[in-house]
Amino acid sequence: MSESQPLLPDPVRRLAAWCVVVLLVAGVGYVGIKLCAEFRTAVVPVLLALLGTALLGPLHRRLVRVGVRRSVAAGLTCVAVIGVVGGAVYIVVAALIDTGDQILDSLKDAAQGVADHFGAAGTSLDDVASHTRELLSKFGGTAASGVISGVSVVGESIAMAVLALLLVFFFLRDSHLAADTLRSLAPGSSGDLVEAMARRAYEGVEGFMRGTTLIALIDAFCITVGLLVLGVPGAVGLGALVFVGAFVPYLGAFVSGAVAVLVAFADRGFVIALWVLGVVLAVQVLEGHVLQPMIQSRTVQMHPAVVMLAITAGASVAGVLGMLLAVPLTAAAFGVVHELRERYSEVSPGDS
């Protein structure tokens, strides 16, 4: 008696199984994103604290190695963070306040020059530059219209920042307990796998944060020096813009470089603008061919297309904050995937 034939061929059944898996993963991911958006006041501080812990972990470990108690070392690290971040924010804000009007005037002059050469297109740019403050105020009013008052927005931001700082303290102090905690929460005999995946994800985020911060400092310093040598107005403010933009790969460098070139074109003319463009391109080449391979050689390497897709997805979910968090979270996900691939590639030959 012949065996009954399956209703569907084997390739079709495999395709259907993969479709079910993809739909389940997509559904779980969608629900997870919605939950994170709903509880953003708790999720955002945790993510920021993880990034801060990854960046400050080496300093804390060095203090512990020289004999400082873990609680004291975590407290000193947090105090250092407050000092460095507060000083950096003061320098950036002061530089932008001092040179912001000059930069806006230069952009307006650049738009007027484009209007003289290209007519209506340039006139539109001139209108945008002329009413920048009005546009920003309208945007701020629209953004604040969905909340009770502007004070509540500031209060929520301060509360999240304080919570993130407190979480950084606890994460640093209790970092030596993370492995045991993960093992205790892991079901069955999966403790080793869970710990390995978490460790690889954390290493990816840690390498990204340290490498990106160092590269951002080098880029900002080089471009600021170049702008000062060329006599471009607002060089310090533009350098601060380059530093902040470096944390959004590719897009941030493009925007900050374009602003620097436009300011140089408006204030110093076409030749100086070409020199500024050369400085920006030289710094980008230095970053792509020297700094990235040397500084981030131990991090998870991602294709530029993956980075751009991650930034776009982050922006669609959480705006500017999503753009900043998208790449380190993607680096963590790539670390987990690499760990799983290595483990299963080691197991599969023995099973065959």
Side-chain angles (χ1 to χ4, degrees):
M1 186 175 181
S2 61
E3 297 180 357
S4 60
Q5 297 293 330
L7 295 177
L8 296 174
D10 185 63
V12 177
R13 287 188 285 115
R14 290 183 180 180
L15 176 61
W18 276 109
C19 289
V20 171
V21 172
V22 171
L23 288 176
L24 287 175
V25 172
V28 172
Y30 178 79
V31 173
I33 291 174
K34 287 297 184 181
L35 289 176
C36 290
E38 188 69 22
F39 299 102
R40 63 185 182 278
T41 53
V43 174
V44 171
V46 172
L47 295 177
L48 293 177
L50 288 175
L51 297 182
T53 305
L55 180 62
L56 302 169
L59 174 60
H60 178 262
R61 291 193 293 268
R62 182 168 298 182
L63 291 174
V64 172
R65 281 197 298 266
V66 298
V68 181
R69 295 180 57 183
R70 300 192 66 89
S71 298
V72 177
L76 292 176
T77 304
C78 291
V79 171
V81 169
I82 295 175
V84 172
V85 173
V89 169
Y90 174 78
I91 293 174
V92 171
V93 172
L96 292 178
I97 290 176
D98 294 339
T99 61
D101 293 337
Q102 195 173 11
I103 292 175
L104 289 176
D105 292 339
S106 298
L107 289 175
K108 182 179 178 180
D109 294 338
Q112 184 61 48
V114 174
D116 295 338
H117 289 86
F118 298 101
T123 303
S124 300
L125 293 175
D126 185 33
D127 292 338
V128 172
S130 301
H131 301 88
T132 299
R133 293 185 180 84
E134 181 180 354
L135 291 174
L136 291 176
S137 63
K138 289 182 178 180
F139 176 79
T142 302
S145 62
V147 294
I148 298 176
S149 64
V151 177
S152 65
V153 176
V154 176
E156 180 180 336
S157 301
I158 294 176
M160 288 193 296
V162 173
L163 178 57
L165 183 63
L166 292 175
L167 289 175
V168 168
F169 171 81
F170 290 120
F171 289 169
L172 288 173
R173 189 194 66 178
D174 301 328
S175 58
H176 63 296
L177 303 176
D180 294 335
T181 303
L182 288 174
R183 286 178 174 275
S184 65
L185 296 176
S189 59
S190 60
D192 291 339
L193 178 60
V194 172
E195 180 188 351
M197 290 191 302
R199 192 180 302 276
R200 184 65 73 93
Y202 183 78
E203 289 175 354
V205 175
E206 185 179 42
F208 172 82
M209 290 300 297
R210 285 188 296 170
T212 302
T213 302
L214 182 56
I215 291 172
L217 287 172
I218 296 175
D219 288 354
F221 175 78
C222 293
I223 290 180
T224 301
V225 171
L227 295 178
L228 289 174
V229 171
L230 294 172
V232 177
V236 177
L238 293 172
L241 182 63
V242 170
F243 176 79
V244 175
F247 287 90
V248 183
Y250 305 112
L251 183 61
F254 173 78
V255 172
S256 59
V259 172
V261 173
L262 285 175
V263 172
F265 173 73
D267 194 81
R268 300 299 308 278
F270 182 73
V271 176
I272 298 298
L274 286 180
W275 278 102
V276 171
L277 178 61
V279 171
V280 172
L281 292 178
V283 171
Q284 295 305 314
V285 171
L286 175 68
E287 175 185 339
H289 293 82
V290 179
L291 298 180
Q292 289 282 357
M294 289 179 57
I295 297 175
Q296 292 190 335
S297 59
R298 297 184 179 181
T299 62
V300 179
Q301 299 297 327
M302 293 179 291
H303 193 277
V306 175
V307 175
M308 293 302 297
L309 288 175
I311 293 173
T312 304
S316 63
V317 172
V320 177
L321 184 61
M323 295 173 66
L324 295 175
L325 294 174
V327 180
L329 293 179
T330 305
F334 265 66
V336 173
V337 171
H338 286 185
E339 179 65 29
L340 291 174
R341 186 178 63 182
E342 290 178 1
R343 282 179 171 263
Y344 282 106
S345 63
E346 292 175 358
V347 173
S348 56
D351 294 339
S352 58

